[in-house]
Each structure stands twice: as structure tokens, then as C-alpha cells.
Short mmCIF file of all heavy atoms in Angstrom, two decimals:
data_model
loop_
_atom_site.label_atom_id
_atom_site.label_comp_id
_atom_site.label_asym_id
_atom_site.label_seq_id
_atom_site.Cartn_x
_atom_site.Cartn_y
_atom_site.Cartn_z
N ARG A 479 0.83 -1.23 0.00
CA ARG A 479 -0.01 0.01 -0.01
C ARG A 479 0.88 1.25 -0.02
O ARG A 479 0.53 2.26 -0.62
CB ARG A 479 -0.94 0.03 1.20
CG ARG A 479 -1.88 -1.15 1.39
CD ARG A 479 -2.93 -1.33 0.31
NE ARG A 479 -2.46 -1.80 -0.96
CZ ARG A 479 -2.14 -3.08 -1.19
NH1 ARG A 479 -2.17 -3.99 -0.23
NH2 ARG A 479 -1.75 -3.45 -2.37
N ALA A 480 1.98 1.20 0.71
CA ALA A 480 2.94 2.32 0.68
C ALA A 480 3.45 2.60 -0.70
O ALA A 480 3.61 3.73 -1.16
CB ALA A 480 4.02 2.08 1.71
N ALA A 481 3.78 1.52 -1.40
CA ALA A 481 4.29 1.60 -2.75
C ALA A 481 3.32 2.24 -3.72
O ALA A 481 3.65 2.87 -4.69
CB ALA A 481 4.76 0.23 -3.25
N GLU A 482 2.01 2.06 -3.40
CA GLU A 482 0.94 2.63 -4.23
C GLU A 482 0.66 4.11 -3.92
O GLU A 482 -0.09 4.76 -4.61
CB GLU A 482 -0.31 1.82 -4.07
CG GLU A 482 -0.23 0.45 -4.64
CD GLU A 482 -1.33 -0.50 -4.17
OE1 GLU A 482 -2.14 -0.09 -3.23
OE2 GLU A 482 -1.45 -1.65 -4.62
N GLY A 483 1.31 4.60 -2.81
CA GLY A 483 1.15 6.05 -2.53
C GLY A 483 0.14 6.39 -1.45
O GLY A 483 -0.21 7.54 -1.31
N HIS A 484 -0.34 5.38 -0.70
CA HIS A 484 -1.25 5.71 0.37
C HIS A 484 -0.57 6.28 1.60
O HIS A 484 0.64 6.14 1.73
CB HIS A 484 -2.03 4.41 0.76
CG HIS A 484 -2.86 3.81 -0.35
ND1 HIS A 484 -4.02 4.37 -0.75
CD2 HIS A 484 -2.61 2.71 -1.14
CE1 HIS A 484 -4.50 3.64 -1.80
NE2 HIS A 484 -3.69 2.63 -2.03
N GLU A 485 -1.34 6.90 2.47
CA GLU A 485 -0.83 7.45 3.73
C GLU A 485 -1.34 6.61 4.88
O GLU A 485 -2.27 5.82 4.78
CB GLU A 485 -1.31 8.89 3.88
CG GLU A 485 -0.83 9.82 2.77
CD GLU A 485 0.67 10.10 2.77
OE1 GLU A 485 1.31 9.82 3.80
OE2 GLU A 485 1.19 10.53 1.72
N PHE A 486 -0.61 6.79 6.04
CA PHE A 486 -0.90 5.96 7.22
C PHE A 486 -0.86 6.79 8.47
O PHE A 486 -0.20 7.82 8.56
CB PHE A 486 0.14 4.83 7.33
CG PHE A 486 0.29 4.08 6.02
CD1 PHE A 486 1.28 4.42 5.12
CD2 PHE A 486 -0.56 3.04 5.70
CE1 PHE A 486 1.44 3.73 3.93
CE2 PHE A 486 -0.45 2.36 4.56
CZ PHE A 486 0.58 2.71 3.58
N ALA A 487 -1.64 6.34 9.48
CA ALA A 487 -1.63 7.01 10.76
C ALA A 487 -2.16 6.05 11.82
O ALA A 487 -2.71 4.98 11.50
CB ALA A 487 -2.52 8.30 10.76
N SER A 488 -1.98 6.41 13.09
CA SER A 488 -2.23 5.48 14.21
C SER A 488 -3.75 5.51 14.58
O SER A 488 -4.40 6.56 14.54
CB SER A 488 -1.44 5.89 15.43
OG SER A 488 -1.81 5.10 16.55
N HIS A 489 -4.18 4.30 14.98
CA HIS A 489 -5.57 4.11 15.46
C HIS A 489 -5.49 3.55 16.90
O HIS A 489 -6.46 2.94 17.36
CB HIS A 489 -6.27 3.18 14.54
CG HIS A 489 -7.76 3.14 14.70
ND1 HIS A 489 -8.55 4.20 15.03
CD2 HIS A 489 -8.67 2.10 14.50
CE1 HIS A 489 -9.81 3.87 15.09
NE2 HIS A 489 -9.94 2.58 14.76
N THR A 490 -4.37 3.83 17.62
CA THR A 490 -3.97 3.20 18.87
C THR A 490 -3.57 1.73 18.62
O THR A 490 -4.07 1.06 17.76
CB THR A 490 -4.98 3.26 20.02
OG1 THR A 490 -6.05 2.35 19.78
CG2 THR A 490 -5.55 4.72 20.16
N TRP A 491 -2.62 1.25 19.42
CA TRP A 491 -2.13 -0.15 19.26
C TRP A 491 -3.18 -1.15 19.60
O TRP A 491 -3.45 -2.11 18.88
CB TRP A 491 -0.82 -0.33 20.10
CG TRP A 491 -0.36 -1.74 20.03
CD1 TRP A 491 -0.40 -2.67 21.02
CD2 TRP A 491 0.31 -2.40 18.94
NE1 TRP A 491 0.14 -3.86 20.60
CE2 TRP A 491 0.60 -3.70 19.30
CE3 TRP A 491 0.68 -1.96 17.64
CZ2 TRP A 491 1.25 -4.61 18.47
CZ3 TRP A 491 1.32 -2.86 16.78
CH2 TRP A 491 1.62 -4.16 17.22
N ASP A 492 -3.84 -1.00 20.76
CA ASP A 492 -4.72 -1.96 21.26
C ASP A 492 -6.20 -1.62 20.95
O ASP A 492 -7.12 -2.18 21.56
CB ASP A 492 -4.62 -2.09 22.81
CG ASP A 492 -3.31 -2.69 23.23
OD1 ASP A 492 -2.97 -3.75 22.69
OD2 ASP A 492 -2.64 -2.13 24.11
N HIS A 493 -6.41 -0.74 19.95
CA HIS A 493 -7.79 -0.28 19.60
C HIS A 493 -8.47 0.03 20.96
O HIS A 493 -9.55 -0.50 21.28
CB HIS A 493 -8.56 -1.37 18.84
CG HIS A 493 -9.69 -0.80 18.09
ND1 HIS A 493 -11.03 -1.03 18.41
CD2 HIS A 493 -9.72 0.00 16.95
CE1 HIS A 493 -11.80 -0.38 17.57
NE2 HIS A 493 -11.04 0.23 16.67
N ALA A 494 -7.90 0.94 21.69
CA ALA A 494 -8.28 1.29 23.03
C ALA A 494 -9.38 2.30 23.09
O ALA A 494 -9.23 3.42 22.67
CB ALA A 494 -7.08 1.76 23.84
N TYR A 495 -10.55 1.86 23.59
CA TYR A 495 -11.71 2.70 23.68
C TYR A 495 -11.57 3.67 24.85
O TYR A 495 -11.37 3.25 26.01
CB TYR A 495 -12.97 1.91 23.85
CG TYR A 495 -13.49 1.24 22.60
CD1 TYR A 495 -12.82 0.16 22.04
CD2 TYR A 495 -14.65 1.64 22.03
CE1 TYR A 495 -13.28 -0.48 20.89
CE2 TYR A 495 -15.17 1.03 20.89
CZ TYR A 495 -14.48 -0.03 20.36
OH TYR A 495 -14.91 -0.65 19.20
N TRP A 496 -11.79 4.96 24.62
CA TRP A 496 -11.89 5.91 25.70
C TRP A 496 -13.30 5.75 26.30
O TRP A 496 -14.32 5.81 25.60
CB TRP A 496 -11.71 7.32 25.16
CG TRP A 496 -11.98 8.43 26.20
CD1 TRP A 496 -11.11 8.97 27.08
CD2 TRP A 496 -13.23 9.10 26.36
NE1 TRP A 496 -11.70 9.93 27.82
CE2 TRP A 496 -13.01 10.04 27.41
CE3 TRP A 496 -14.50 9.01 25.79
CZ2 TRP A 496 -14.03 10.89 27.85
CZ3 TRP A 496 -15.50 9.87 26.25
CH2 TRP A 496 -15.26 10.81 27.25
N ARG A 497 -13.40 5.56 27.61
CA ARG A 497 -14.65 5.33 28.30
C ARG A 497 -15.09 6.52 29.14
O ARG A 497 -16.22 6.58 29.54
CB ARG A 497 -14.53 4.08 29.21
CG ARG A 497 -14.11 2.85 28.47
CD ARG A 497 -15.23 2.23 27.70
NE ARG A 497 -16.16 1.60 28.63
CZ ARG A 497 -17.29 1.05 28.24
NH1 ARG A 497 -17.66 1.07 27.02
NH2 ARG A 497 -18.10 0.47 29.19
N GLY A 498 -14.16 7.43 29.44
CA GLY A 498 -14.54 8.61 30.25
C GLY A 498 -13.35 9.19 30.96
O GLY A 498 -12.36 8.50 31.22
N ASP A 499 -13.45 10.47 31.28
CA ASP A 499 -12.39 11.16 32.05
C ASP A 499 -12.59 10.92 33.54
O ASP A 499 -13.74 10.78 33.99
CB ASP A 499 -12.39 12.65 31.76
CG ASP A 499 -12.06 13.02 30.30
OD1 ASP A 499 -11.31 12.18 29.68
OD2 ASP A 499 -12.50 14.06 29.81
N LEU A 500 -11.45 10.89 34.27
CA LEU A 500 -11.52 10.81 35.73
C LEU A 500 -11.11 12.18 36.34
O LEU A 500 -10.19 12.83 35.80
CB LEU A 500 -10.58 9.74 36.20
CG LEU A 500 -10.94 8.31 35.79
CD1 LEU A 500 -9.85 7.35 36.26
CD2 LEU A 500 -12.27 7.87 36.34
N LYS A 501 -11.80 12.55 37.38
CA LYS A 501 -11.51 13.84 38.01
C LYS A 501 -10.15 13.73 38.70
O LYS A 501 -9.78 12.74 39.24
CB LYS A 501 -12.59 14.16 39.03
CG LYS A 501 -13.96 14.45 38.37
CD LYS A 501 -15.02 14.81 39.41
CE LYS A 501 -16.34 15.11 38.75
NZ LYS A 501 -17.39 15.43 39.75
N GLY A 502 -9.42 14.88 38.64
CA GLY A 502 -8.10 14.91 39.28
C GLY A 502 -7.26 15.97 38.63
O GLY A 502 -7.62 16.56 37.58
N VAL A 503 -6.12 16.21 39.23
CA VAL A 503 -5.20 17.25 38.68
C VAL A 503 -4.60 16.72 37.37
O VAL A 503 -4.53 17.49 36.35
CB VAL A 503 -4.06 17.56 39.70
CG1 VAL A 503 -3.11 18.59 39.11
CG2 VAL A 503 -4.71 18.12 40.98
N GLU A 504 -4.07 15.51 37.39
CA GLU A 504 -3.41 14.97 36.17
C GLU A 504 -4.50 14.34 35.28
O GLU A 504 -5.40 13.62 35.80
CB GLU A 504 -2.38 13.94 36.53
CG GLU A 504 -1.20 14.53 37.33
CD GLU A 504 -0.37 15.46 36.48
OE1 GLU A 504 -0.30 15.29 35.28
OE2 GLU A 504 0.19 16.41 37.05
N PRO A 505 -4.41 14.51 33.96
CA PRO A 505 -5.41 13.84 33.08
C PRO A 505 -5.32 12.32 33.18
O PRO A 505 -4.25 11.73 33.00
CB PRO A 505 -4.98 14.31 31.71
CG PRO A 505 -4.16 15.55 31.89
CD PRO A 505 -3.47 15.35 33.21
N ARG A 506 -6.43 11.69 33.51
CA ARG A 506 -6.49 10.24 33.61
C ARG A 506 -7.82 9.87 32.96
O ARG A 506 -8.82 10.54 33.06
CB ARG A 506 -6.42 9.74 35.04
CG ARG A 506 -5.08 10.06 35.67
CD ARG A 506 -5.04 9.65 37.15
NE ARG A 506 -4.93 8.20 37.31
CZ ARG A 506 -3.74 7.53 37.26
NH1 ARG A 506 -2.63 8.20 36.99
NH2 ARG A 506 -3.75 6.23 37.40
N PHE A 507 -7.81 8.65 32.34
CA PHE A 507 -9.00 8.19 31.59
C PHE A 507 -9.32 6.78 31.92
O PHE A 507 -8.45 5.96 32.24
CB PHE A 507 -8.71 8.28 30.10
CG PHE A 507 -7.78 9.38 29.67
CD1 PHE A 507 -6.48 9.08 29.42
CD2 PHE A 507 -8.20 10.71 29.56
CE1 PHE A 507 -5.58 10.02 29.02
CE2 PHE A 507 -7.34 11.66 29.16
CZ PHE A 507 -6.03 11.38 28.90
N ARG A 508 -10.57 6.44 31.77
CA ARG A 508 -11.00 5.03 31.81
C ARG A 508 -10.91 4.52 30.35
O ARG A 508 -11.49 5.09 29.44
CB ARG A 508 -12.45 4.89 32.30
CG ARG A 508 -12.60 5.16 33.81
CD ARG A 508 -13.98 4.81 34.32
NE ARG A 508 -15.02 5.61 33.72
CZ ARG A 508 -15.92 5.21 32.84
NH1 ARG A 508 -15.96 3.92 32.47
NH2 ARG A 508 -16.83 6.00 32.37
N ILE A 509 -10.14 3.42 30.20
CA ILE A 509 -9.85 2.88 28.87
C ILE A 509 -10.25 1.41 28.84
O ILE A 509 -9.98 0.70 29.82
CB ILE A 509 -8.35 3.08 28.55
CG1 ILE A 509 -7.96 4.54 28.41
CG2 ILE A 509 -7.94 2.29 27.31
CD1 ILE A 509 -8.52 5.21 27.25
N ARG A 510 -10.83 0.94 27.73
CA ARG A 510 -11.06 -0.44 27.52
C ARG A 510 -10.51 -0.89 26.19
O ARG A 510 -11.07 -0.56 25.14
CB ARG A 510 -12.55 -0.76 27.62
CG ARG A 510 -12.84 -2.29 27.37
CD ARG A 510 -14.28 -2.58 27.35
NE ARG A 510 -14.95 -2.48 28.64
CZ ARG A 510 -16.23 -2.68 28.83
NH1 ARG A 510 -17.00 -3.06 27.83
NH2 ARG A 510 -16.74 -2.59 30.00
N PRO A 511 -9.39 -1.63 26.13
CA PRO A 511 -8.90 -2.12 24.86
C PRO A 511 -9.85 -3.16 24.27
O PRO A 511 -10.49 -3.96 25.02
CB PRO A 511 -7.54 -2.82 25.24
CG PRO A 511 -7.19 -2.22 26.55
CD PRO A 511 -8.50 -1.92 27.24
N SER A 512 -10.00 -3.17 22.98
CA SER A 512 -10.79 -4.17 22.29
C SER A 512 -9.92 -5.17 21.52
O SER A 512 -10.45 -6.02 20.79
CB SER A 512 -11.82 -3.56 21.37
OG SER A 512 -11.23 -2.88 20.30
N ALA A 513 -8.59 -5.04 21.62
CA ALA A 513 -7.66 -5.92 20.99
C ALA A 513 -6.49 -6.18 21.96
O ALA A 513 -6.35 -5.47 22.94
CB ALA A 513 -7.12 -5.29 19.66
N GLY A 514 -5.74 -7.19 21.63
CA GLY A 514 -4.55 -7.50 22.47
C GLY A 514 -4.90 -8.38 23.62
O GLY A 514 -6.02 -8.86 23.81
N ALA A 515 -3.89 -8.64 24.50
CA ALA A 515 -4.01 -9.55 25.63
C ALA A 515 -5.06 -9.06 26.66
O ALA A 515 -5.55 -9.89 27.41
CB ALA A 515 -2.64 -9.73 26.27
N PHE A 516 -5.31 -7.78 26.70
CA PHE A 516 -6.19 -7.25 27.78
C PHE A 516 -7.52 -6.80 27.18
O PHE A 516 -8.19 -5.96 27.79
CB PHE A 516 -5.51 -6.10 28.47
CG PHE A 516 -4.19 -6.51 29.15
CD1 PHE A 516 -3.00 -6.06 28.63
CD2 PHE A 516 -4.17 -7.33 30.23
CE1 PHE A 516 -1.80 -6.43 29.19
CE2 PHE A 516 -2.99 -7.74 30.85
CZ PHE A 516 -1.81 -7.29 30.33
N ALA A 517 -7.91 -7.30 26.04
CA ALA A 517 -9.14 -6.89 25.41
C ALA A 517 -10.34 -7.18 26.32
O ALA A 517 -10.44 -8.22 26.95
CB ALA A 517 -9.34 -7.68 24.09
N GLY A 518 -11.24 -6.16 26.37
CA GLY A 518 -12.45 -6.33 27.17
C GLY A 518 -12.32 -5.93 28.64
O GLY A 518 -13.31 -5.86 29.32
N ARG A 519 -11.11 -5.67 29.09
CA ARG A 519 -10.91 -5.25 30.49
C ARG A 519 -10.76 -3.74 30.57
O ARG A 519 -10.29 -3.11 29.64
CB ARG A 519 -9.64 -5.93 31.07
CG ARG A 519 -9.79 -7.47 31.15
CD ARG A 519 -8.46 -8.13 31.51
NE ARG A 519 -7.93 -7.60 32.78
CZ ARG A 519 -6.77 -7.97 33.30
NH1 ARG A 519 -6.01 -8.87 32.60
NH2 ARG A 519 -6.32 -7.51 34.43
N GLU A 520 -11.21 -3.18 31.69
CA GLU A 520 -11.11 -1.70 31.82
C GLU A 520 -9.98 -1.29 32.67
O GLU A 520 -9.67 -1.92 33.73
CB GLU A 520 -12.45 -1.19 32.46
CG GLU A 520 -12.56 0.32 32.35
CD GLU A 520 -14.02 0.78 32.40
OE1 GLU A 520 -14.84 0.45 31.50
OE2 GLU A 520 -14.30 1.53 33.31
N PHE A 521 -9.23 -0.25 32.25
CA PHE A 521 -8.04 0.27 32.97
C PHE A 521 -8.11 1.77 33.13
O PHE A 521 -8.93 2.42 32.46
CB PHE A 521 -6.78 -0.10 32.14
CG PHE A 521 -6.55 -1.57 31.90
CD1 PHE A 521 -7.08 -2.19 30.79
CD2 PHE A 521 -5.80 -2.32 32.83
CE1 PHE A 521 -6.84 -3.58 30.59
CE2 PHE A 521 -5.60 -3.66 32.60
CZ PHE A 521 -6.11 -4.27 31.47
N THR A 522 -7.31 2.22 33.98
CA THR A 522 -7.10 3.67 34.13
C THR A 522 -5.75 4.04 33.55
O THR A 522 -4.72 3.50 34.01
CB THR A 522 -7.17 4.08 35.59
OG1 THR A 522 -8.48 3.83 36.09
CG2 THR A 522 -6.93 5.58 35.74
N TRP A 523 -5.69 4.88 32.54
CA TRP A 523 -4.47 5.34 31.92
C TRP A 523 -4.26 6.84 32.19
O TRP A 523 -5.25 7.61 32.30
CB TRP A 523 -4.46 5.13 30.43
CG TRP A 523 -4.27 3.69 30.01
CD1 TRP A 523 -4.11 2.57 30.79
CD2 TRP A 523 -4.24 3.23 28.65
NE1 TRP A 523 -3.97 1.46 30.01
CE2 TRP A 523 -4.05 1.84 28.70
CE3 TRP A 523 -4.35 3.84 27.37
CZ2 TRP A 523 -3.95 1.06 27.53
CZ3 TRP A 523 -4.28 3.07 26.25
CH2 TRP A 523 -4.08 1.64 26.37
N ASP A 524 -3.02 7.25 32.23
CA ASP A 524 -2.73 8.66 32.20
C ASP A 524 -2.37 9.08 30.78
O ASP A 524 -2.32 8.23 29.87
CB ASP A 524 -1.65 9.01 33.20
CG ASP A 524 -0.31 8.33 32.93
OD1 ASP A 524 -0.07 7.86 31.76
OD2 ASP A 524 0.51 8.23 33.88
N ALA A 525 -2.11 10.34 30.56
CA ALA A 525 -1.85 10.82 29.23
C ALA A 525 -0.61 10.16 28.60
O ALA A 525 -0.58 9.88 27.40
CB ALA A 525 -1.69 12.36 29.21
N LYS A 526 0.38 9.90 29.43
CA LYS A 526 1.61 9.29 28.91
C LYS A 526 1.36 7.89 28.40
O LYS A 526 1.86 7.49 27.32
CB LYS A 526 2.68 9.27 30.02
CG LYS A 526 4.03 8.75 29.60
CD LYS A 526 5.05 8.83 30.69
CE LYS A 526 6.41 8.29 30.24
NZ LYS A 526 7.40 8.37 31.35
#
């Protein structure tokens, strides 16, 4: 596809669904990956 001239960009590695923001000083989110080893489980991630 690259040889044909298409462009590419990220869709997140684990197809990680944003589920909602968490209150606090530092940005933190509820995340649920739909791919990978942790698919279907909910986590709290920070911006990093």
C-alpha cells in the first residue's frame, strides 16, 4: 500500500476505547482495549 502512494496514521495499538475522564489534577482516563491480551478489560491510563 505504501508503494501505491497511500498514507498511514495510528488508530492506537490496542484499539483502546476511551470510556470517560476521571476527576483529578493529572489527566486520567477510563480505557477499555478491544484488541490484544487485555481486550475487554477496563483500565485507568494517564496521558503518557
Side-chain angles (χ1 to χ4, degrees):
R479 304 292 77 75
E482 292 165 353
H484 298 286
E485 300 292 341
F486 309 94
S488 175
H489 196 32
T490 74
W491 175 254
D492 291 312
H493 201 251
Y495 284 70
W496 173 88
R497 304 281 286 175
D499 294 334
L500 296 176
K501 293 181 179 179
V503 178
E504 296 294 331
R506 297 176 74 83
F507 330 99
R508 288 188 297 112
I509 294 290
R510 179 185 289 181
S512 66
F516 301 109
R519 295 170 58 184
E520 192 157 298
F521 299 90
T522 298
W523 284 1
D524 59 23
K526 184 177 180 181

